Amino acid sequence: MRAIVVDHSMPDGFRIGTVPDPVPGPGQALVAVKAFSVNNGDVVDNIDAAPDGSVPGWEAAGVVVQEAADGSGPPVGAPVTTFGWNGAWAALRAVDTTHLAEIPADADLGAAATIPIAAGTALAALNRIGPLLGRRVLVTGATGGVGRFAVQLARLGGADVTAVTGNPGRNGDMLRDLGASEVVTTPGGTAAMGAVDGVVETVGGPTLVESFATLGRDGTLVAVGSASQKPATFAPDAFLSRPGQDNRSIATFFMPEAADIARGMGWLAQAAADGRIDPGIAWCSGWEDLGDAVSRLRERRLGGKAVATVDLPGVQED
Ligand SMILES: NC(=O)c1ccc[n+]([C@@H]2O[C@H](COP(=O)([O-])OP(=O)(O)OC[C@H]3O[C@@H](n4cnc5c(N)ncnc54)[C@H](OP(=O)(O)O)[C@@H]3O)[C@@H](O)[C@H]2O)c1
């Protein structure tokens, strides 16, 4: 089958090549991939740190072409969105039926491809914070894949949302349109804020330190990621209790271990199909153009999700 193959001798670190078809295990469905999405972690873990010859990609949407031998999961012909450790950027992928969700028949497969990682992470991280109705949530890296969904879902859940971006001038209107009532930047922008009940933190480094300081009593910061790749240095008294800030928590987080991934993916795909959440696809093209999307993501020029389609004619192999 055709697939994106890691090849560090190439300028982008990958090429379109040919690899053996995946062989599904008993609890796996075989899915013909129609569209896949690109995440920060796909680039860092699945390209930069991956060996030559591997097939990257965590999330893809498509159609079941062979149902799981154990009878679990949807039947042949069902449109699905899928999550797995790699192998999404390919014409076919074998997926555990616990890691896929059937999506509405008329759902846009490109939009569905953005759901598992970015939206699934935002949903699970917000669930980790707890109830949202009438509470106050801070989302850092709010223009990113996870952040954009976190802003929308927190608002949908009834929270008052403050969004953190490195460039409020450029991104402020977009983040307010997604549901943020306030847009600030770090360093410094959170200093004048009142206390928040929860933080979805995706940037790390000084932003992690600063956003932890905004937590009020019983607040929870969910440490999702470190897009900045910067170290976080806390002051010696950063974790001491202080008036109005007792009993705060930092929760580590790993989306693949979140509870009931498939149910969350199905709900999110329906919400995207209904228009309740906007996947914010900023780049969509055939997979032969994937290098451009990866460069934009690396350089913080993407401004939303990137979706590549795999069924365009004229793709050059090898
Ligand atoms: N724990 C898990 O299971 C899990 C799951 C998904 C993702 N993650 C991690 O969460 C983080 C965010 O993922 P994502 O997919 O949302 O990433 P993304 O799309 O690249 O977004 C990250 C955002 O962080 C902001 N940012 C601030 N400083 C940055 C810097 N120095 N370099 C790059 N971005 C910077 C950018 O917003 P502005 O330009 O507006 O400031 C950017 O939009 C990553 O570290 C990822 O690996 C973890």
Side-chain angles (χ1 to χ4, degrees), residues 45-266:
D45 297 338
N46 282 332
I47 299 174
D48 295 349
D52 281 353
S54 57
V55 177
W58 284 329
E59 59 186 357
V63 176
V64 174
V65 290
Q66 183 183 317
E67 60 193 73
D70 66 2
S72 62
V76 169
V80 290
T81 190
T82 69
F83 164 75
W85 275 115
N86 47 38
W89 298 1
L92 291 168
R93 83 179 307 201
V95 193
D96 293 352
T97 54
T98 52
H99 286 62
L100 59 74
E102 198 163 347
I103 61 177
D106 58 352
D108 175 67
L109 289 170
T114 68
I115 293 297
I117 301 294
T121 293
L123 179 70
L126 289 165
N127 283 339
R128 180 69 183 77
I129 288 172
L132 298 175
L133 200 59
R135 302 184 87 201
R136 193 162 182 221
V137 169
L138 184 73
V139 177
T140 69
T143 63
V146 175
R148 282 180 50 98
F149 281 114
V151 169
Q152 295 179 78
L153 292 170
R155 184 74 196 95
L156 200 58
D160 180 33
V161 183
T162 300
V164 178
T165 171
N167 192 336
R170 186 183 62 192
N171 302 320
D173 288 347
M174 181 266 286
L175 291 167
R176 282 185 200 89
D177 287 347
L178 292 178
S181 57
E182 192 179 5
V183 179
V184 299
T185 192
T186 54
T190 63
M193 291 175 50
V196 303
D197 299 291
V199 181
V200 176
E201 210 296 286
T202 69
V203 175
T207 301
L208 166 61
V209 176
E210 194 169 313
S211 54
F212 178 71
T214 68
L215 275 183
R217 184 186 173 91
D218 294 321
T220 301
L221 180 150
V222 184
V224 171
S226 182
S228 71
Q229 296 283 300
K230 290 183 180 156
T233 306
F234 287 88
D237 63 351
F239 301 113
L240 297 182
S241 270
R242 53 192 81 194
Q245 291 193 298
D246 298 311
N247 204 25
R248 295 165 294 164
S249 311
I250 295 181
T252 59
F253 178 85
F254 189 46
M255 176 267 173
E257 296 301 325
D260 221 350
I261 290 177
R263 185 166 74 158
M265 281 163 46

